Amino acid sequence: MTLTVRQFPCLSDNYGFLARDEASGLVACIDTPDAAAIQRELEAAGWTLSLILNTHWHPDHAGGNAELKAATGATIVGPAEVSRIAPPDRVVGDGDTVMLGETRFEVIDTGGHTLGHVTYFDAADEIAFVGDTLFALGCGRLFEGDAAQMWASLQRLTALPDATTVYCAHEYTAANARFALSVDADPALKARSEEIFAARERGEPTVPTTIALEKATNPFLRAPLLRPDIADPAAAFGAVRAAKDGFAG
Ligand code: ZN
Ligand code: FE
């Protein structure tokens, strides 16, 4: 099984992703931030879209569903909450499987940013599309869920293999690094942040990341270490999340 991923910028700071199952030639897009940009990328690749996988209902993730479906006939798969934007053809939740040719995506509940947010994990290729749950050095804001729900979701992601390639949906990494450096003096974080600032100055993406890299340096995953004064790990995470929400630097 081989999945080929094409990543491209959409809107102001989103990434679009096309994923092609090499065995069958079938193509999925993960979220639909910008239907026109996705269609241009399909044309550039010479690929035909058959599947839309939504991580959550937000317009910068599902806003292109209707236009892309009308243009390509693709099947929309997503959590029930996506009905707020465009009704999925198939509603999925934790433990479900979605096939793209020979590629098998496991659906993992990663609620918190929105209540129904899901991640799509291809175990054979060790690839995860995490939407707005986990970012490089960051995590999604708690728009709908609470710290306990998000912490549990992040634990499901850190339980994936260390080598897992993590495709997050936004290029927020430089701002995330500035916050991370304000709460964590770890040398690995400092080194990674310098690489990130240099990459962004060269106009290079910092996505994808890996589970190993995030476990080592992401301040939200390291929250219990950073806040030893708070006994409950989810509460420690909540404190770091609140600090980021109020961070001006
Ligand atoms: Zn979102
Ligand atoms: Fe988003």
Short mmCIF file of all heavy atoms in Angstrom, two decimals, residues 18-54:
data_model
loop_
_atom_site.label_atom_id
_atom_site.label_comp_id
_atom_site.label_asym_id
_atom_site.label_seq_id
_atom_site.Cartn_x
_atom_site.Cartn_y
_atom_site.Cartn_z
N LEU A 18 -4.19 16.47 -1.28
CA LEU A 18 -4.71 15.41 -2.13
C LEU A 18 -3.93 14.15 -1.79
O LEU A 18 -2.71 14.22 -1.58
CB LEU A 18 -4.51 15.74 -3.61
CG LEU A 18 -5.24 16.96 -4.16
CD1 LEU A 18 -4.87 17.16 -5.63
CD2 LEU A 18 -6.76 16.80 -4.03
N ALA A 19 -4.62 13.03 -1.72
CA ALA A 19 -3.96 11.76 -1.40
C ALA A 19 -4.38 10.72 -2.44
O ALA A 19 -5.58 10.52 -2.67
CB ALA A 19 -4.37 11.30 -0.01
N ARG A 20 -3.38 10.10 -3.10
CA ARG A 20 -3.67 9.14 -4.16
C ARG A 20 -3.23 7.75 -3.74
O ARG A 20 -2.07 7.54 -3.36
CB ARG A 20 -2.91 9.55 -5.44
CG ARG A 20 -3.17 8.65 -6.64
CD ARG A 20 -2.37 9.18 -7.83
NE ARG A 20 -2.75 8.56 -9.09
CZ ARG A 20 -2.13 7.50 -9.61
NH1 ARG A 20 -1.12 6.93 -8.97
NH2 ARG A 20 -2.54 7.00 -10.77
N ASP A 21 -4.17 6.81 -3.78
CA ASP A 21 -3.85 5.41 -3.54
C ASP A 21 -3.21 4.86 -4.82
O ASP A 21 -3.87 4.77 -5.87
CB ASP A 21 -5.14 4.64 -3.20
CG ASP A 21 -4.91 3.14 -3.19
OD1 ASP A 21 -4.15 2.67 -2.33
OD2 ASP A 21 -5.48 2.44 -4.05
N GLU A 22 -1.92 4.53 -4.72
CA GLU A 22 -1.17 4.17 -5.94
C GLU A 22 -1.65 2.86 -6.54
O GLU A 22 -1.53 2.65 -7.75
CB GLU A 22 0.33 4.14 -5.65
CG GLU A 22 0.92 5.51 -5.31
CD GLU A 22 0.75 6.55 -6.42
OE1 GLU A 22 0.54 6.15 -7.59
OE2 GLU A 22 0.79 7.74 -6.12
N ALA A 23 -2.20 1.96 -5.72
CA ALA A 23 -2.65 0.67 -6.25
C ALA A 23 -3.83 0.84 -7.21
O ALA A 23 -3.92 0.15 -8.23
CB ALA A 23 -3.04 -0.25 -5.09
N SER A 24 -4.73 1.76 -6.88
CA SER A 24 -5.97 1.90 -7.66
C SER A 24 -6.01 3.19 -8.48
O SER A 24 -6.82 3.31 -9.39
CB SER A 24 -7.16 1.91 -6.71
OG SER A 24 -7.06 3.03 -5.84
N GLY A 25 -5.17 4.16 -8.13
CA GLY A 25 -5.24 5.47 -8.77
C GLY A 25 -6.35 6.36 -8.22
O GLY A 25 -6.56 7.47 -8.71
N LEU A 26 -7.06 5.89 -7.20
CA LEU A 26 -8.15 6.69 -6.62
C LEU A 26 -7.57 7.81 -5.76
O LEU A 26 -6.54 7.66 -5.11
CB LEU A 26 -9.08 5.82 -5.79
CG LEU A 26 -9.90 4.78 -6.58
CD1 LEU A 26 -10.70 3.90 -5.62
CD2 LEU A 26 -10.83 5.47 -7.57
N VAL A 27 -8.27 8.97 -5.80
CA VAL A 27 -7.76 10.18 -5.15
C VAL A 27 -8.79 10.73 -4.17
O VAL A 27 -9.98 10.83 -4.49
CB VAL A 27 -7.41 11.25 -6.20
CG1 VAL A 27 -6.98 12.56 -5.54
CG2 VAL A 27 -6.32 10.73 -7.15
N ALA A 28 -8.31 11.11 -3.00
CA ALA A 28 -9.14 11.79 -2.00
C ALA A 28 -8.58 13.17 -1.74
O ALA A 28 -7.37 13.40 -1.90
CB ALA A 28 -9.16 11.00 -0.69
N CYS A 29 -9.44 14.11 -1.35
CA CYS A 29 -8.90 15.34 -0.76
C CYS A 29 -9.33 15.36 0.69
O CYS A 29 -10.40 14.86 1.05
CB CYS A 29 -9.32 16.60 -1.50
SG CYS A 29 -11.02 17.05 -1.37
N ILE A 30 -8.42 15.85 1.52
CA ILE A 30 -8.72 15.94 2.94
C ILE A 30 -9.08 17.38 3.22
O ILE A 30 -8.24 18.29 3.10
CB ILE A 30 -7.55 15.46 3.82
CG1 ILE A 30 -7.32 13.96 3.62
CG2 ILE A 30 -7.85 15.70 5.30
CD1 ILE A 30 -6.63 13.54 2.37
N ASP A 31 -10.35 17.60 3.54
CA ASP A 31 -10.96 18.91 3.74
C ASP A 31 -10.99 19.69 2.42
O ASP A 31 -10.30 19.37 1.46
CB ASP A 31 -10.28 19.70 4.86
CG ASP A 31 -10.66 19.14 6.24
OD1 ASP A 31 -11.75 18.55 6.36
OD2 ASP A 31 -9.86 19.29 7.18
N THR A 32 -11.85 20.71 2.42
CA THR A 32 -12.08 21.47 1.18
C THR A 32 -12.00 22.97 1.47
O THR A 32 -12.99 23.69 1.35
CB THR A 32 -13.45 21.12 0.57
OG1 THR A 32 -14.49 21.41 1.54
CG2 THR A 32 -13.53 19.65 0.19
N PRO A 33 -10.81 23.45 1.86
CA PRO A 33 -10.70 24.88 2.19
C PRO A 33 -11.03 25.79 1.01
O PRO A 33 -11.58 26.87 1.22
CB PRO A 33 -9.23 25.03 2.63
CG PRO A 33 -8.53 23.80 2.14
CD PRO A 33 -9.55 22.73 2.09
N ASP A 34 -10.71 25.35 -0.22
CA ASP A 34 -10.85 26.24 -1.37
C ASP A 34 -11.05 25.36 -2.61
O ASP A 34 -10.09 24.77 -3.12
CB ASP A 34 -9.58 27.10 -1.49
CG ASP A 34 -9.63 28.09 -2.65
OD1 ASP A 34 -10.44 27.88 -3.59
OD2 ASP A 34 -8.85 29.05 -2.62
N ALA A 35 -12.30 25.27 -3.08
CA ALA A 35 -12.62 24.35 -4.18
C ALA A 35 -11.80 24.67 -5.43
O ALA A 35 -11.31 23.75 -6.11
CB ALA A 35 -14.12 24.41 -4.49
N ALA A 36 -11.63 25.95 -5.75
CA ALA A 36 -10.89 26.32 -6.96
C ALA A 36 -9.43 25.90 -6.87
O ALA A 36 -8.85 25.36 -7.83
CB ALA A 36 -11.00 27.83 -7.20
N ALA A 37 -8.82 26.12 -5.71
CA ALA A 37 -7.41 25.73 -5.53
C ALA A 37 -7.26 24.21 -5.62
O ALA A 37 -6.29 23.70 -6.19
CB ALA A 37 -6.89 26.24 -4.19
N ILE A 38 -8.22 23.48 -5.08
CA ILE A 38 -8.16 22.01 -5.11
C ILE A 38 -8.32 21.53 -6.55
O ILE A 38 -7.60 20.62 -7.00
CB ILE A 38 -9.23 21.41 -4.17
CG1 ILE A 38 -8.85 21.70 -2.71
CG2 ILE A 38 -9.38 19.91 -4.39
CD1 ILE A 38 -9.96 21.50 -1.70
N GLN A 39 -9.22 22.17 -7.30
CA GLN A 39 -9.39 21.76 -8.71
C GLN A 39 -8.15 22.07 -9.55
O GLN A 39 -7.77 21.28 -10.41
CB GLN A 39 -10.64 22.41 -9.28
CG GLN A 39 -11.89 21.70 -8.76
CD GLN A 39 -13.14 22.15 -9.46
OE1 GLN A 39 -13.66 23.22 -9.17
NE2 GLN A 39 -13.60 21.36 -10.39
N ARG A 40 -7.51 23.20 -9.26
CA ARG A 40 -6.25 23.51 -9.98
C ARG A 40 -5.19 22.46 -9.67
O ARG A 40 -4.45 22.02 -10.56
CB ARG A 40 -5.74 24.90 -9.55
CG ARG A 40 -6.43 26.06 -10.25
CD ARG A 40 -5.62 27.35 -10.11
NE ARG A 40 -5.44 27.75 -8.71
CZ ARG A 40 -6.32 28.48 -8.02
NH1 ARG A 40 -7.45 28.89 -8.59
NH2 ARG A 40 -6.09 28.80 -6.76
N GLU A 41 -5.12 22.04 -8.40
CA GLU A 41 -4.12 21.04 -8.02
C GLU A 41 -4.43 19.68 -8.66
O GLU A 41 -3.51 18.98 -9.09
CB GLU A 41 -4.08 20.93 -6.49
CG GLU A 41 -2.90 20.17 -5.94
CD GLU A 41 -1.57 20.90 -6.05
OE1 GLU A 41 -1.56 22.12 -6.32
OE2 GLU A 41 -0.53 20.23 -5.88
N LEU A 42 -5.71 19.32 -8.72
CA LEU A 42 -6.10 18.07 -9.39
C LEU A 42 -5.67 18.10 -10.85
O LEU A 42 -5.13 17.12 -11.38
CB LEU A 42 -7.61 17.87 -9.30
CG LEU A 42 -8.16 17.44 -7.93
CD1 LEU A 42 -9.67 17.67 -7.86
CD2 LEU A 42 -7.83 15.96 -7.67
N GLU A 43 -5.91 19.25 -11.49
CA GLU A 43 -5.53 19.38 -12.91
C GLU A 43 -4.03 19.29 -13.10
O GLU A 43 -3.54 18.62 -14.00
CB GLU A 43 -6.04 20.72 -13.46
CG GLU A 43 -7.28 20.58 -14.31
CD GLU A 43 -7.86 21.93 -14.67
OE1 GLU A 43 -7.11 22.76 -15.24
OE2 GLU A 43 -9.04 22.15 -14.37
N ALA A 44 -3.29 19.97 -12.22
CA ALA A 44 -1.82 19.97 -12.32
C ALA A 44 -1.27 18.55 -12.17
O ALA A 44 -0.29 18.18 -12.81
CB ALA A 44 -1.23 20.89 -11.25
N ALA A 45 -1.92 17.76 -11.30
CA ALA A 45 -1.46 16.39 -11.06
C ALA A 45 -1.99 15.41 -12.10
O ALA A 45 -1.49 14.31 -12.23
CB ALA A 45 -1.88 15.95 -9.66
N GLY A 46 -3.05 15.82 -12.82
CA GLY A 46 -3.71 14.89 -13.73
C GLY A 46 -4.50 13.83 -12.97
O GLY A 46 -4.63 12.70 -13.42
N TRP A 47 -5.02 14.21 -11.80
CA TRP A 47 -5.74 13.27 -10.94
C TRP A 47 -7.24 13.57 -10.98
O TRP A 47 -7.65 14.71 -11.19
CB TRP A 47 -5.27 13.38 -9.49
CG TRP A 47 -3.86 12.92 -9.26
CD1 TRP A 47 -3.02 12.34 -10.17
CD2 TRP A 47 -3.13 12.99 -8.02
NE1 TRP A 47 -1.82 12.03 -9.57
CE2 TRP A 47 -1.86 12.43 -8.25
CE3 TRP A 47 -3.43 13.48 -6.75
CZ2 TRP A 47 -0.88 12.34 -7.25
CZ3 TRP A 47 -2.47 13.38 -5.76
CH2 TRP A 47 -1.21 12.82 -6.01
N THR A 48 -8.06 12.53 -10.73
CA THR A 48 -9.52 12.66 -10.67
C THR A 48 -9.98 12.40 -9.25
O THR A 48 -9.63 11.38 -8.66
CB THR A 48 -10.19 11.64 -11.62
OG1 THR A 48 -9.66 11.86 -12.94
CG2 THR A 48 -11.69 11.81 -11.64
N LEU A 49 -10.78 13.31 -8.73
CA LEU A 49 -11.20 13.21 -7.32
C LEU A 49 -12.37 12.25 -7.17
O LEU A 49 -13.34 12.33 -7.91
CB LEU A 49 -11.62 14.60 -6.80
CG LEU A 49 -11.90 14.69 -5.31
CD1 LEU A 49 -10.60 14.54 -4.52
CD2 LEU A 49 -12.58 16.02 -4.96
N SER A 50 -12.27 11.33 -6.20
CA SER A 50 -13.43 10.47 -5.95
C SER A 50 -13.94 10.54 -4.52
O SER A 50 -15.04 10.09 -4.24
CB SER A 50 -13.13 9.01 -6.33
OG SER A 50 -12.10 8.50 -5.54
N LEU A 51 -13.14 11.11 -3.62
CA LEU A 51 -13.52 11.08 -2.20
C LEU A 51 -13.12 12.38 -1.51
O LEU A 51 -12.02 12.88 -1.72
CB LEU A 51 -12.81 9.89 -1.53
CG LEU A 51 -13.11 9.58 -0.08
CD1 LEU A 51 -14.55 9.13 0.11
CD2 LEU A 51 -12.16 8.48 0.43
N ILE A 52 -14.03 12.91 -0.69
CA ILE A 52 -13.73 14.06 0.17
C ILE A 52 -13.80 13.56 1.61
O ILE A 52 -14.81 12.98 2.02
CB ILE A 52 -14.76 15.20 -0.04
CG1 ILE A 52 -14.64 15.78 -1.46
CG2 ILE A 52 -14.60 16.29 1.02
CD1 ILE A 52 -15.79 16.71 -1.85
N LEU A 53 -12.72 13.75 2.35
CA LEU A 53 -12.69 13.37 3.77
C LEU A 53 -12.66 14.65 4.60
O LEU A 53 -11.68 15.39 4.56
CB LEU A 53 -11.43 12.54 4.08
CG LEU A 53 -11.30 11.20 3.39
CD1 LEU A 53 -9.93 10.57 3.71
CD2 LEU A 53 -12.42 10.25 3.83
N ASN A 54 -13.72 14.91 5.34
CA ASN A 54 -13.77 16.11 6.19
C ASN A 54 -13.36 15.77 7.62
O ASN A 54 -13.82 14.78 8.19
CB ASN A 54 -15.18 16.70 6.24
CG ASN A 54 -15.59 17.40 4.97
OD1 ASN A 54 -16.67 17.16 4.44
ND2 ASN A 54 -14.74 18.28 4.47
#
